[in-house]
Amino acid sequence: QVQLVESGGGSVQHGGSLSLSCTASRSIFSLNAMGWYRQAPGMQRELVASITSGGITYVIDSVKGRFTISSDNAKNTIYLQMNNLKFEDTGVYNCYAEYGGGFPMLELGRGTQVTVSS
């Protein structure tokens, strides 16, 4: 198992920036990947960004050039730097960690609210 502690989020004006962090209770190297899902009101949850234990990153097309995912392995922490935020970025952001082989397990954090307003 792995526990995840998220921080960051909040309210920001359109075009502003926010940073999220997520700390895992075990080494990132013991995980397959970590990242962030988000769910906007009335929408399905979608994967926003991920980073593997080997450092390979992925971000969804709609946030490319605006969001950056990174990790500090010594702190077992990942970060999501969100710049030039848009109204459609509003939602609940959940950190996740994937671990195990064969049938990997997925652990989700409690979530943090990001609200972009005018």
Side-chain angles (χ1 to χ4, degrees):
Q1 287 188 335
V2 57
Q3 284 75 49
L4 302 170
V5 178
E6 301 150 326
S7 63
S11 296
V12 66
Q13 287 189 326
H14 186 272
S17 298
L18 282 174
S19 180
L20 306 180
S21 66
C22 176
T23 299
S25 60
R26 53 192 265 192
S27 171
I28 290 178
F29 294 119
S30 72
L31 306 170
N32 298 335
M34 293 181 68
W36 298 90
Y37 282 92
R38 73 181 176 191
Q39 187 167 23
M43 303 291 285
Q44 287 189 330
R45 181 177 287 135
E46 64 177 350
L47 177 65
V48 177
S50 66
I51 184 166
T52 69
S53 57
I56 298 173
T57 61
Y58 163 84
V59 294
I60 196 172
D61 283 348
S62 61
V63 307
K64 278 184 179 177
R66 301 189 296 118
F67 289 15
T68 302
I69 187 169
S70 61
S71 66
D72 184 335
N73 296 332
K75 296 181 179 180
N76 299 338
T77 299
I78 64 167
Y79 305 93
L80 186 66
Q81 179 63 41
M82 305 182 290
N83 298 327
N84 190 22
L85 282 159
K86 303 179 179 182
F87 299 127
E88 54 264 38
D89 295 320
T90 293
V92 176
Y93 284 68
N94 294 89
C95 174
Y96 82 89
E98 181 191 294
Y99 58 98
F103 297 96
M105 301 294 288
L106 193 72
E107 188 72 37
L108 281 180
R110 290 185 174 184
T112 185
Q113 177 70 42
V114 171
T115 302
V116 183
S117 60
S118 57

